[in-house]
Amino acid sequence: MNLSRRYDMPLLVGSVLLLAFGVVMVWSASAFVAAEETNDPYHFVTRQLVAIGVGLPLAALVAVTPYRRLERNAIGIYLFAICLLPVVWFPGLGHTANGATRWFGLGGINFQPAELAKVATLVALAAWLTRNRRDVHDWRNVLLPAAGIVLVPVLFTIAQPDFGSTAIIAGLCGVMLLFAGLRLSWVGGVAAGLAGVLTIVMVAEPYRRERITSFLDPFANCEGSAYQVCESLLAMHHGGLAGQGLGDGVAKLLYLPEPYNDFIAAVLGEELGMFGFVALTGLYALVAWRGMEIARRSVDMFGALLASTLTVMIVGQACMNLGVVLGVLPPKGLVLPFVSYGASAMIVNLVAVGILLSISAEARAEAPAAVPVAGGRVPARA
């Protein structure tokens, strides 16, 4: 990383601390399961370290690169990500789990191209909206092409099927349109239409319908589809304020399926207690604050749109994951950014932080300017 540039250090420190949280908790949550399944208690944490080892250099490279290059190369980045989405269906490359084909083998790890498609779609949409910032309400010449940018990855992810990534891509693009100045009524109308379509997709599959009914009354079906949520809440209850102690939790001992993945926060709550859980959420609050501050200080609309929406992507997924763990949201299969086991999400989220750091460095390096947005110019601060 180019230390001569002034990066947002609170964001960097918060992200590193989340990584540390993640490595420790993946090791604690996965050691027993890994020993049972692979005879190597370090199997999952080793693979997580490999993902971090790939993601950190990429994040550093992105951080030292002026972020405006993303805008100039937005089409190429977008097309590259789109071309990777159908690779999961290639014979011998695709990997299927739980009835979905969302991954392909890459260097000994399973990579999920939908994760890359999230960021690539946001880069392309931000570049398009910046280019047409004065005509953001022109539905024919601006909004229809914008819808096309969003629709392509959405169709691929629905086909995999990956309902979670579909909803996230569509939702994040809606948030970006709102940040770009599109009228709230327009965004609400589009959101309502998409919600209707996604609802149809959701109820079309029996297992998705069962998730919803189990969410409404999880304790009525603890032996069935609500099993994970019930075990998660039980683990959080056992943790109390101070926790059972790192490594001393029991939910991970084959009670909670894949405790190192979607429900890793439940293991954290049991072992580190409410204090550890609050510390974790505090780090996400720090990332949210610094990300939005970087967006506010950005010297152009592209940087502001990208920084704000990437921040929503990271923190929003964290909120949804923690909501599932606490039983206030239906299960969605979303990882906890920087903490859950998973190479694809880890690498892409680290790259997202690299983009935020690059935007922060450019904002600090340049004199105050005016950020062009729809309907006027908003002063930016370095």
Side-chain angles (χ1 to χ4, degrees):
M1 185 173 291
N2 184 357
L3 296 179
S4 64
R5 306 178 80 198
R6 297 178 58 204
Y7 297 97
D8 191 284
M9 295 310 295
L11 173 64
L12 181 59
V13 171
S15 301
V16 170
L17 289 176
L18 282 171
L19 283 178
F21 246 120
V23 171
V24 172
M25 292 314 305
V26 167
W27 171 77
S28 178
S30 69
F32 181 80
V33 176
E36 289 289 311
E37 295 181 355
T38 69
N39 294 321
D40 178 11
Y42 301 102
H43 174 79
F44 293 108
V45 72
T46 300
R47 293 165 72 90
Q48 186 79 335
L49 289 171
V50 170
I52 294 173
V54 173
L56 281 178
L58 290 175
L61 178 61
V62 171
V64 301
T65 303
Y67 71 90
R68 291 181 182 87
R69 293 187 183 179
L70 294 174
E71 184 177 6
R72 292 195 293 269
N73 296 284
I75 295 177
I77 295 170
Y78 176 76
L79 292 177
F80 175 74
I82 295 302
C83 289
L84 285 181
L85 286 171
V87 173
V88 299
W89 295 311
F90 287 11
L93 291 179
H95 172 72
T96 300
N98 299 322
T101 306
R102 305 172 184 170
W103 305 266
F104 64 84
L106 181 66
I109 61 176
N110 290 322
F111 184 76
Q112 187 176 2
E115 292 291 339
L116 178 60
K118 293 176 187 176
V119 175
T121 303
L122 294 180
V123 169
L125 185 60
W128 176 253
L129 293 174
T130 300
R131 177 181 173 184
N132 297 278
R133 55 186 171 270
R134 300 298 183 190
D135 304 302
V136 70
H137 290 99
D138 185 341
W139 67 270
R140 179 177 299 175
N141 298 313
V142 177
L143 293 181
L144 280 181
I149 292 173
V150 181
L151 185 61
V152 175
V154 161
L155 290 177
F156 275 114
T157 52
I158 285 179
Q160 289 180 354
D162 188 350
F163 179 76
S165 293
T166 300
I168 288 173
I169 292 173
L172 288 174
C173 291
V175 168
M176 181 175 284
L177 286 167
L178 189 62
F179 287 153
L182 191 64
R183 295 188 188 97
L184 182 59
S185 59
W186 288 33
V187 176
V190 173
L194 287 174
V197 173
L198 292 176
T199 299
I200 294 172
V201 173
M202 181 172 59
V203 300
E205 293 291 340
Y207 77 92
R208 294 191 185 120
R209 293 197 300 271
E210 192 174 1
R211 282 185 179 181
I212 298 299
T213 55
S214 297
F215 160 70
L216 295 175
D217 189 6
F219 297 105
N221 197 21
C222 280
E223 298 299 322
S225 59
Y227 175 78
Q228 283 183 299
V229 174
C230 291
E231 289 294 332
S232 174
L233 293 173
L234 185 61
M236 296 291 293
H237 172 73
H238 285 163
L241 287 177
Q244 300 294 316
L246 185 64
D248 293 334
V250 298
K252 62 192 179 185
L253 304 180
L254 302 183
Y255 291 102
L256 191 61
E258 296 187 353
Y260 47 86
N261 207 328
D262 299 350
F263 285 84
I264 194 169
V267 178
L268 184 149
E270 182 183 29
E271 299 188 352
L272 302 183
M274 184 59 67
F275 294 143
F277 198 86
V278 169
L280 177 70
T281 55
L283 289 175
Y284 284 116
L286 175 62
V287 171
W289 168 48
R290 296 316 303 168
M292 287 304 180
E293 186 68 9
I294 290 169
R296 187 180 71 86
R297 293 173 178 263
S298 177
V299 296
D300 63 8
M301 184 176 178
F302 177 75
L305 289 177
L306 201 54
S308 56
T309 314
L310 287 177
T311 301
V312 172
M313 181 187 80
I314 295 171
V315 180
Q317 288 186 107
C319 291
M320 287 189 284
N321 178 278
L322 295 177
V324 170
V325 168
L326 294 173
V328 298
L329 289 175
K332 293 180 176 64
L334 297 177
V335 300
L336 187 59
F338 305 116
V339 178
S340 293
Y341 172 77
S344 307
M346 177 64 73
I347 293 170
V348 171
N349 284 324
L350 284 172
V351 169
V353 170
I355 295 173
L356 290 172
L357 291 173
S358 177
I359 296 172
S360 74
E362 294 291 317
R364 290 165 182 259
E366 296 189 16
V371 181
V373 296
R377 295 174 72 82
V378 178
R381 296 172 57 186

